[in-house]
Amino acid sequence: MMNAEKFWDGVAPKYAKSPIKNQAGFEQTLNRTRGYLKPDDRVLEIGAGTGSTALLLADSVAEIVATDISDKMLEVGRARAWEQCINNVTFQQRDAGDLPDGPFDVVLAHNILHLVEDLPAVLNAVYATLKPGGLFISKTFVKPTRGLQLEYRVMRLALPLMQRFGKAPFVSMFQAPDFDAEIKRAGFEILEAGHFPDTETRRYIVARKR
């Protein structure tokens, strides 16, 4: 399988130009997340990609440190921050399991956790960098329990071949209860969990560091 950094660097130009596939789901995620943020929060985002989420949430917090394994992705985010005159978002190239020193009030992980190969290690790193009582807010692909079954089966069959030729990254296939259990095992208390909208295949979770 292709190295993750190399894969995401390679798709960065196309990714940056691609429209958001589920605009309604993206906006609901932003609105729900914004409701948990405070003006004096220091926020870390892992798997920030081109910085779309960080830049849209920047006016709700004091600071966001946006990290990603791909510096090519982050270059797009840096340019967009400069163009939009946003100066409270900084970008760092880091693996999801190698996080900046905290403490942070909130850690965001939108559309990244199903792409990491060692989920427990990443969750432990998130836990370590959060303040006591800090929030971990994630949105992650999980196996669909209703609807989209055919689409999921086709993807499941095609994925190994695509990965073999460097056309797809690593993807984990968690069921929602198993994914929730991993978060609890890392020491978090889940405050909210669901799919918004109901047809969304990505599970939205807000968890608090005990």
Side-chain angles (χ1 to χ4, degrees), residues 22-32 34:
N22 184 347
Q23 185 66 37
F26 179 68
E27 291 177 1
Q28 285 198 34
T29 297
L30 284 177
N31 290 336
R32 297 186 85 90
R34 193 176 281 113

Side-chain angles (χ1 to χ4, degrees), residues 70-91:
S70 168
D71 201 49
K72 295 295 185 184
M73 290 279 196
L74 296 176
E75 284 177 5
V76 177
R78 293 184 186 105
R80 289 176 174 174
W82 184 83
E83 291 167 359
Q84 297 172 38
C85 299
I86 296 174
N87 56 22
N88 66 332
V89 178
T90 57
F91 297 86

Side-chain angles (χ1 to χ4, degrees), residues 38 102-106 126-136 187-188 207-210:
K38 300 188 294 295
F104 291 93
D105 300 285
V106 180
V126 170
Y127 190 90
T129 201
L130 272 172
K131 291 180 179 179
L135 296 180
F136 176 44
F188 291 99
R208 180 168 53 206
K209 178 176 178 176
R210 295 181 184 276

Side-chain angles (χ1 to χ4, degrees), residues 189-209:
E189 173 192 5
I190 293 179
L191 304 180
E192 177 184 10
H195 299 259
F196 311 106
D198 289 344
T199 54
E200 174 65 79
T201 56
R202 286 164 173 80
R203 186 163 179 79
Y204 183 81
I205 294 180
V206 180
R208 180 168 53 206
K209 178 176 178 176

Side-chain angles (χ1 to χ4, degrees), residues 15 17 37 72 81 110-111 118 138 141 169 172 192 194 204 207:
Y15 183 93
K17 296 176 183 177
L37 302 178
K72 295 295 185 184
H110 291 171
N111 302 313
D118 191 345
S138 67
F141 171 81
S172 64
E192 177 184 10
Y204 183 81

